[in-house]
Amino acid sequence: MTEKNTPLLDELEKGKWPSFVTEIKRAAVKSEAAGELLQVLERSYKERRGHWKHGGIVGVRGYGGGVIGRYVDEPQTYPNVAEFHTVRLLQPSGWFYNTKTLRTVCDIWEKYGSGLTNMHGSTGDIILLGCKTEHIQPIFDEFSEAGFDLGGSGSCLRTPNCCVGPGRCEHACYDTLEACYNITNEFMDELHRPMWPYKSKIKFSGCANDCTSSIARSDCSVIGTWRDTLRIDQEAVKEYAAKMNIKAAVCDKCPTSCLTFNAETQELSVVGEDCTRCMHCINVMPKAIQPGKEKGATILIGGKSTIVQSAFMSWVIVPFMKMEAEDDFAEFKDLMRRIWEWWDEHGKSRERIGETIYRLGMTKFLNGIEVAPVPQMVFRPRANPYVFWNQDDLDRSGTALDGSKL
Amino acid sequence: MAILDQGPPHYKKMLPPIIEENYGKWKYHEIPRPGVLKHVGESGAALYSVRVGTPRLVSIDFIRDVCVIADEYCDGYLRWTTRNNVEFLVSDEAKLNPLLQKLEAEGYSVGGTGRSVSNIVHTQGWVHCHTPATDASGVVKAVMDDLYEYFNTMKLPAKLKMGLACCLNMCGAAHCSDIAIVGVHRTPPRINHEVIRKGTEIPSLVASCPTGAIRPDPKNKSVIVNEDKCMYCGNCYTMSPAMEIYDPKNDGIAILIGGKTSNARTSPSFSRMVIPFLPNTAPRWPETTEAIRKILELWIANANDGERVGEWVERIGWERFFTLAELPFSDMLIDDYIFSRETFRTSAQFKY
């Protein structure tokens, strides 16, 4: 018998912020596993240490991932959470739901699992926390029947996610919801059957505000942008001018000083070629300033968190790409296939693509995926002369002593 | 038999009619009050989104509760945000105030918009992770309780995005947050040779170490850890429960600040360590909540209008920040990992 009281956790039911302890207690009314989770957690609070371990591969027929094995370290003491596995379900783009869909998730999970979820996991999936090994296949079968599918785990394409996009945002420079849906479906095999050196993530943000934090959290960041000049509605500028200091709040904060507010005419002007499309002015004056008309996305590669070679932010490899549903996002998909093929060939086990590129050099990577170098890829060029010349370059640039081409 | 590879549920089935009608044709948005967004389409249609904080770890009862509310006020449509808030999507303006009253009566937390503290993106911690150095949900709860007045108001200099990672694998976007709370192990794993001999795959265990600190010890049918190379990530514990990484006396929390992922004004930036260690004082982590409040209040008092934490610190200078914050500077705050050189001051310009 384990102690049923949870004096330490009860402290976390106090205060105004919603309490996860209350949530576990609610689940515990119907689930013995959730009740026992509370006991394990109370012990962690007392001992200041975790009590979970990996332990064996679990999964469903036909897939290599989607379920993560989790076991308590004292199964005799806590038999109901001896197996307490996590199931990942692919979320709808933008985390939009109707209540019917959500109730279906609840009903199936109530039948087999602990009744606890994460809405959502850091990568974006619906996370179902805590089920037994014997129930994994039935859970998948029922969710599949109801129109759901498992998310990614292991060395695969992890579940892509996206911002709210054109569904509810005036800034969206491409259809993030459709791109995420379409591209997730395109790469089902890569997502469900781990076959790469390590995990790889894609996140779709509709503008440079990057609400999915794609630049920090994904190996491939697709960030909406435009190529032409932002559009200004001078009538709306005048309305803003009546209630705010446009020079201080907008022009003075523009990183390239490309905006000028003329107090006399009450008009705002922009030097288009100086603008770096950072979104600040649009954020402050959405009624008056809009992105340009020629919209698409910047593609950046290599973002990841600290382990192992430090945290990387993704870097630009394609400054501007059209992201259109009409052509089925063909250019993007083609690029991703070339990138993954290169990484598959050159990456070491447990090496994220950013680390592989860093180890072998950006130049080799660009050559490997057949992308031509452009200055937008770097903040500034190299400060050393250690260029690795290849024979083609030598043949092109070398000259004989008499001045003739070699 | 399950259908394989059918993909996620189609998002189009999840969109309320007002979104279908105004898809890609939104003109602007406003924040009429904290926690409420008003999006206006080119057609003039207005959609109200009411944002509610959640603990992320929620029961199916919670999900069913919000479904009941969404059925009554939102024709059954709602969404979750990237920061684990729920948004009720109200297309009938007449239902907005009744919804807000309902949410208040039921004790929901409405807020997290504009210049506020939004929900803290966080990991699993002691609830479900195998390598945590601290709990995640509990620290988040303690910090959000303490900062609640900044969640349901919009009185900060700029938005504040926080992240918590419960070990130094740093799952979640803690490495690019305005304020990051990071669980830290500080001691190498302890090897239980008995458990290893009973059935650990030694080659897999050796391969699991990202820094090559683990090597086989054939004589003892076990492994040896080169403690100088260990960075306490706990990957080896994933492979074998014989490699105990938790250490109740020495595990704790580090605070990093000044990161962001948005490109607005300044480029995205990493969070930087300002406090290398705070103790794991469960269940309410008073040292952590106090340290965060102090940094937050310093930012409120000193930042220019619209300046995020990192923009403020970069403007005044990190050396000045340490003086103002009265935080001790130590060798632990000077980077000695791979890309350290770019953080060294190669200039004779600095402040005191």
Side-chain angles (χ1 to χ4, degrees):
Chain A
M1 267 305 279
T2 53
E3 180 62 46
K4 295 285 184 202
N5 295 332
T6 54
L8 293 173
L9 292 178
D10 294 349
E11 289 298 311
L12 289 167
E13 289 197 278
K14 299 172 183 168
K16 285 186 172 168
W17 188 249
S19 169
F20 71 103
V21 173
T22 306
E23 291 301 316
I24 303 175
K25 285 186 177 177
R26 293 179 81 184
V29 173
K30 292 176 214 155
S31 159
E32 285 184 350
E36 227 163 63
L37 171 68
L38 214 51
Q39 304 307 316
V40 176
L41 193 57
E42 177 72 12
R43 204 168 136 194
S44 284
Y45 268 68
K46 206 181 290 173
E47 298 172 358
R48 297 183 188 178
R49 55 157 290 201
H51 278 284
W52 299 98
K53 57 185 185 116
H54 270 280
I57 309 270
V58 291
V60 300
R61 287 189 296 275
Y63 288 175
V67 188
I68 299 97
R70 189 69 45 167
Y71 304 81
V72 81
D73 62 356
E74 283 184 25
Q76 303 84 353
T77 322
Y78 306 105
N80 289 300
V81 291
E83 296 161 353
F84 202 66
H85 310 315
T86 300
V87 179
R88 290 185 181 155
L89 293 180
L90 293 171
Q91 79 288 0
S93 282
W95 302 284
F96 280 100
Y97 292 99
N98 57 46
T99 51
K100 185 168 171 284
T101 302
L102 285 172
R103 289 195 174 100
T104 304
V105 174
C106 294
D107 293 347
I108 299 174
W109 189 233
E110 179 166 38
K111 200 160 141 190
Y112 297 105
S114 72
L116 288 168
T117 74
N118 282 153
M119 298 293 279
H120 295 79
S122 287
T123 301
D125 311 79
I126 301 167
I127 305 280
L128 307 173
L129 281 177
C131 68
K132 293 189 191 317
T133 310
E134 66 189 83
H135 292 142
I136 292 172
Q137 189 67 41
I139 287 169
F140 176 47
D141 291 345
E142 275 202 42
F143 271 116
S144 176
E145 184 78 14
F148 294 87
D149 200 350
L150 297 189
S153 70
S155 296
C156 67
L157 172 63
R158 293 297 181 86
T159 304
N161 79 35
C162 65
C163 68
V164 70
R168 201 204 53 199
C169 184
E170 65 273 23
H171 303 328
C173 291
Y174 70 100
D175 189 341
T176 53
L177 301 173
E178 178 59 26
C180 186
Y181 180 75
N182 180 312
I183 290 159
T184 303
N185 277 301
E186 176 81 13
F187 297 119
M188 281 281 101
D189 199 30
E190 287 80 355
L191 191 150
H192 284 134
R193 295 166 196 90
M195 52 184 133
W196 289 338
Y198 202 14
K199 65 179 110 173
S200 195
K201 302 186 179 188
I202 308 177
K203 291 194 198 296
F204 300 94
S205 282
C207 77
N209 284 323
D210 198 4
C211 287
T212 66
S213 296
S214 70
I215 202 160
R217 305 177 76 179
S218 58
D219 301 85
C220 175
S221 321
V222 186
I223 300 179
T225 188
W226 62 95
R227 273 214 71 140
D228 49 348
T229 304
L230 46 79
R231 291 173 285 168
I232 301 174
D233 175 347
Q234 298 298 350
E235 287 313 304
V237 169
K238 291 189 179 81
E239 283 171 34
Y240 277 109
K243 56 187 180 185
M244 67 183 275
N245 182 343
I246 293 180
K247 182 179 179 300
V250 180
C251 304
D252 291 352
K253 296 192 171 203
C254 170
T256 62
S257 305
C258 71
L259 288 167
T260 309
F261 180 66
N262 184 326
E264 216 164 283
T265 62
Q266 300 272 291
E267 286 192 352
L268 186 69
S269 60
V270 60
V271 182
E273 57 269 34
D274 283 351
C275 171
T276 49
R277 301 165 309 281
C278 82
M279 293 300 296
H280 173 73
C281 60
I282 297 178
N283 291 340
V284 180
M285 304 170 68
K287 290 181 191 172
I289 312 179
Q290 281 181 283
K293 285 182 173 164
E294 196 187 348
K295 295 175 186 175
T298 301
I299 315 296
L300 307 91
I301 292 290
K304 57 179 282 295
S305 189
T306 45
I307 291 276
V308 177
Q309 302 269 319
S310 302
F312 290 0
M313 270 188 262
S314 295
W315 52 81
V316 174
I317 59 160
V318 181
F320 184 83
M321 182 187 278
K322 281 287 199 191
M323 290 290 287
E324 302 291 345
E326 285 74 48
D327 69 6
D328 201 29
F329 306 100
E331 193 181 350
F332 178 79
K333 291 173 181 172
D334 182 52
L335 176 70
M336 290 317 293
R337 288 204 167 90
R338 296 199 314 268
I339 290 172
W340 290 330
E341 195 184 345
W342 181 86
W343 179 45
D344 215 13
E345 190 178 329
H346 299 282
K348 291 182 186 171
S349 172
R350 296 180 71 83
E351 189 178 58
R352 297 282 284 268
I353 189 163
E355 293 167 323
T356 311
I357 297 170
Y358 189 73
R359 177 169 58 81
L360 295 174
M362 176 80 141
T363 321
K364 282 204 176 67
F365 170 66
L366 292 175
N367 281 332
I369 62 165
E370 294 171 7
V371 168
V374 291
Q376 286 76 16
M377 292 173 176
V378 294
F379 280 124
R380 47 195 75 84
R382 67 163 74 217
N384 61 65
Y386 306 138
V387 176
F388 291 104
W389 296 99
N390 64 34
Q391 196 57 51
D392 282 352
D393 291 322
L394 296 175
D395 290 347
R396 260 198 302 274
S397 54
T399 46
L401 291 180
D402 64 4
S404 67
K405 280 295 234 182
L406 284 173
Chain B
M1 184 57 196
I3 310 153
L4 296 182
D5 299 325
Q6 64 178 334
H10 204 303
Y11 66 93
K12 281 187 182 159
K13 293 179 187 158
M14 311 294 166
L15 303 177
I18 190 172
I19 287 187
E20 283 185 72
E21 288 151 20
N22 293 277
Y23 196 89
K25 290 182 281 190
W26 297 104
K27 195 169 185 316
Y28 68 92
H29 78 276
E30 297 171 326
I31 309 178
R33 50 160 284 182
V36 180
L37 303 170
K38 178 187 182 185
H39 285 83
V40 179
E42 287 164 8
S43 65
L47 169 68
Y48 292 88
S49 304
V50 178
R51 190 174 286 176
V52 163
T54 86
R56 185 176 86 121
L57 172 56
V58 293
S59 63
I60 50 177
D61 306 273
F62 173 89
I63 299 173
R64 284 171 176 154
D65 285 351
V66 295
C67 283
V68 170
I69 296 173
D71 279 342
E72 191 173 343
Y73 299 92
C74 314
D75 306 313
Y77 295 99
L78 68 165
R79 69 177 292 266
W80 261 261
T81 70
T82 51
R83 306 191 77 80
N84 311 308
N85 301 301
V86 171
E87 283 177 348
F88 293 99
L89 304 172
V90 185
S91 44
D92 177 0
E93 194 182 343
K95 289 184 177 167
L96 177 65
N97 281 326
L99 169 63
L100 289 167
Q101 284 156 13
K102 167 86 173 172
L103 291 170
E104 190 177 349
E106 304 263 320
Y108 287 92
S109 303
V110 175
T113 52
R115 294 180 173 192
S116 69
V117 175
S118 190
N119 205 342
I120 303 177
V121 168
H122 62 281
T123 53
Q124 300 286 18
W126 290 334
V127 171
H128 209 229
C129 182
H130 60 294
T131 60
T134 185
D135 190 31
S137 311
V139 183
V140 166
K141 164 75 175 146
V143 172
M144 286 307 288
D145 276 344
D146 189 56
L147 300 182
Y148 195 82
E149 64 185 292
Y150 298 111
F151 174 78
N152 62 359
T153 58
M154 299 196 292
K155 55 188 180 184
L156 295 175
K159 65 173 84 168
L160 186 93
K161 294 190 171 184
M162 299 176 67
L164 181 147
C166 58
C167 82
L168 35 71
N169 279 295
M170 287 174 80
C171 303
H175 61 296
C176 289
S177 298
D178 291 292
I179 299 180
I181 307 164
V182 179
V184 288
H185 294 296
R186 301 190 296 164
T187 49
R190 298 173 301 279
I191 309 171
N192 185 331
H193 297 288
E194 199 67 14
V195 175
I196 291 197
R197 283 185 210 112
K198 271 187 194 156
T200 292
E201 260 187 60
I202 290 180
S204 306
L205 177 56
V206 169
S208 75
C209 178
T211 63
I214 302 174
R215 59 190 167 88
D217 179 8
K219 215 166 68 183
N220 288 314
K221 292 184 176 140
S222 185
V223 294
I224 296 170
V225 174
N226 178 345
E227 300 201 345
D228 290 340
K229 281 172 111 178
C230 176
M231 59 204 268
Y232 328 126
C233 70
N235 272 331
C236 54
Y237 186 70
T238 308
M239 291 309 302
S240 170
M243 309 294 284
E244 289 177 348
I245 186 72
Y246 64 85
D247 180 350
K249 271 190 289 195
N250 290 302
D251 291 345
I253 282 173
I255 305 291
L256 291 78
I257 69 164
K260 77 195 252 289
T261 55
S262 158
N263 284 272
R265 302 172 300 283
T266 51
S267 291
S269 57
F270 290 126
S271 322
R272 304 281 170 182
M273 188 183 280
V274 292
I275 302 176
F277 183 77
L278 293 167
N280 241 345
T281 321
R284 302 268 342 173
W285 285 270
E287 297 86 354
T288 298
T289 55
E290 192 188 328
I292 290 172
R293 175 169 277 272
K294 220 176 145 190
I295 292 169
L296 189 97
E297 284 175 353
L298 194 66
W299 170 57
I300 295 171
N302 290 281
N304 288 341
D305 185 58
E307 218 169 29
R308 288 189 58 174
V309 173
E311 293 174 297
W312 161 61
V313 179
E314 286 287 337
R315 174 172 59 80
I316 64 168
W318 288 89
E319 68 277 29
R320 186 93 190 98
F321 167 80
F322 278 94
T323 307
L324 287 176
E326 296 170 325
L327 284 171
F329 193 83
S330 68
D331 56 355
M332 284 171 278
L333 302 177
I334 297 180
D335 196 350
D336 52 9
Y337 202 52
I338 302 170
F339 300 103
S340 59
R341 201 199 53 138
E342 66 197 42
T343 64
F344 303 158
R345 189 183 304 273
T346 54
S347 155
Q349 303 178 7
F350 47 82
K351 301 173 188 168
Y352 287 99

